Amino acid sequence: MDAAAEKMRAEGLPDVAVETFDRYRSRLASGDTGVLPESEIEPVAELPDAEELPDDPAGAEEALRRAVVIKLNGGLGTGMGMTQAKSLLEVKDGLTFLDIIARQILGLRERAGAAVPLVLMNSFATRDDSLAALERYPDLALEGLPLDFPQGRVPKLLADTLEPAEWPADPKLEWAPPGHGDLYPSLSGSGMLDALLERGFEYAFVSNSDNLGATLDLRMLAWFAREGMPFLMEAADRTPSDRKGGHLARRPGGGLVLREIAQTPDEDVDSFQDVSRHRYFNTNTIWVNLRALARVLEASGGVIELPMIVNRKTVDPKDSSSPAVVQLETAMGAAIDVFEGAAAVRVPRTRFVPVKATGDLLALRSDAYVMSEGPRVELAPERAGQPPLIDLDSKNYKLLADMERHFPSGPPSLIGCERLEVEGDVTFGAGVTVRGRVRVEGPRTVEDGAVLEG
């Protein structure tokens, strides 16, 4: 047994996780760099449009009885200075991401009369707090079906030897998240896949817990089931702000593939970021036929090999002098390249409302977004489907505590804001309104009731 496998088994990780990681490590050792050059792909010209799908109430009702909602809930929000699950962050009307998700599922069950399960993929760092938060919804768990399954973790490898890194000063830093492509081995290795199939669930709707725009859409569910698709990716139109996000492409033979920036050779970065050439980005929301997944796993000996992402860092990200390491990751959406007959669908931007930075959270908490029936967090009707672009400088606003200190009375009115840029130490008073495109430079205090425009 090699050192990496031994280390993973000592942590109690399932065999499928160990075997999957060993495959990627072997590929890396044999010279696979994980890159996908522009010469090996073609742009995607058109996709079917989700807003043009026909209503199929009978098909939706039938498929809903076999549907499950899976939320990726492994993130801590460390980029914003958080030390607990990002989904426990208050986001709207005093509710957290998890509050809203739980109420969406309970509301869906009541309206549709179907016992749709909610299942979280938690990391070891988010599990306890997240499950404790859901205890306030005692009707959420279905008898005999766990509310979650664990996301795996993989050893960081020394860049020169590809042996597991050791860092006695903080052993937790010896491990890395395997990316959300870990969904598949974790579903299988945890027993959750078998548990869902045994209870008759077949259609999994999967999205990030911090994307409240991603809700189970009945028209899309009916279409996915009716067409017998094994895998469906939701993709949205790319804008200049999406230049670094993974984009959809085609293999020369016609199959779809996802390419991330980390898989792009330096000489192809301009092509990667050309949003007129590569028009669609991956929203990280997918639909998976669980029976098709089980068949793929059986045919591949229990391991799905996805395109590999090779990240080169130091074992302690905050210490550039610490040993250089390689982190091997995969993307959940990359499975579009694995399932025969996999497809993608163009969705409106309203289904992509992630919170990756404090500016995203500020916008979501503002009046630019409203809570509608469902409950569902949506752009205010006055915004005509266009979210405000909020750019807060990282020096003063990167951390959640710093952002909230600069907006002590809550966010300004952003319902009429196109773009807000804040540079420097700026404290906003109560009742501030931002209209159009505005840039504010500090140090300064914006007085109560101020109207900023132009």
Side-chain angles (χ1 to χ4, degrees), residues 60 105 148-149 257 343 366 391:
I105 295 297
D148 81 323
F149 63 97
V257 64
S366 79
D391 185 1

Side-chain angles (χ1 to χ4, degrees), residues 11-179:
E11 284 291 303
L13 294 165
D15 288 346
V16 64
V18 178
E19 175 65 20
T20 299
F21 181 74
D22 187 61
R23 298 264 188 106
Y24 292 126
R25 181 173 171 272
S26 297
R27 283 163 54 182
L28 181 67
S30 65
D32 186 349
T33 60
V35 299
L36 185 57
E38 190 72 18
S39 60
E40 295 182 11
I41 58 174
E42 300 170 351
V44 175
E46 297 289 342
L47 290 175
D49 196 315
E51 295 187 304
E52 297 176 0
L53 296 176
D55 283 321
D56 182 4
E61 181 180 359
E62 169 61 27
L64 196 59
R65 297 193 189 101
R66 293 180 283 161
V68 55
V69 174
I70 298 176
K71 293 290 182 178
L72 308 183
N73 193 54
L76 282 176
T78 52
M80 294 190 290
M82 296 179 61
T83 57
Q84 63 176 169
K86 189 198 293 187
S87 59
L88 298 179
L89 189 61
E90 183 179 320
V91 61
K92 199 77 178 171
D93 297 348
L95 300 176
T96 67
F97 289 99
L98 273 188
D99 284 325
I100 294 172
I101 290 167
R103 295 180 186 205
Q104 286 173 345
I105 295 297
L106 294 173
L108 176 62
R109 291 179 187 173
E110 184 176 355
R111 292 190 305 275
V116 179
L118 171 66
V119 177
L120 305 180
M121 183 170 81
N122 281 317
S123 67
F124 68 94
T126 62
R127 184 173 195 265
D128 291 345
D129 286 346
S130 296
L131 293 182
L134 290 180
E135 288 177 359
R136 71 190 72 166
Y137 302 100
D139 296 332
L140 193 60
L142 298 180
E143 185 177 352
L145 191 65
L147 267 175
D148 81 323
F149 63 97
Q151 178 182 1
R153 52 180 178 165
V154 295
K156 296 178 182 178
L157 303 176
L158 293 171
D160 53 354
T161 65
L162 300 186
E163 291 297 309
E166 294 186 6
W167 196 242
D170 188 353
K172 293 193 299 294
L173 294 178
E174 298 173 7
W175 296 89

Side-chain angles (χ1 to χ4, degrees), residues 236-314:
D237 293 342
R238 286 176 100 199
T239 68
S241 63
D242 307 309
R243 291 180 305 127
K244 295 183 180 180
H247 71 74
L248 197 59
R250 287 194 186 279
R251 300 283 191 187
L256 293 168
V257 64
L258 173 66
R259 181 170 68 164
E260 303 284 353
I261 186 70
Q263 296 170 285
T264 307
D266 291 343
E267 61 271 20
D268 289 338
V269 168
D270 287 345
S271 296
F272 178 95
Q273 296 184 341
D274 184 348
V275 300
S276 63
R277 175 174 173 79
H278 294 296
R279 296 175 50 198
Y280 303 107
F281 76 91
N282 169 34
T283 66
N284 215 42
T285 297
I286 63 169
W287 302 74
V288 181
N289 184 301
L290 297 177
R291 297 193 184 282
L293 173 59
R295 289 194 294 269
V296 169
L297 284 167
E298 183 178 4
S300 62
V303 175
I304 294 181
E305 286 197 59
L306 303 176
M308 182 174 62
I309 301 172
V310 180
N311 282 318
R312 298 186 180 276
K313 303 187 178 184
T314 54

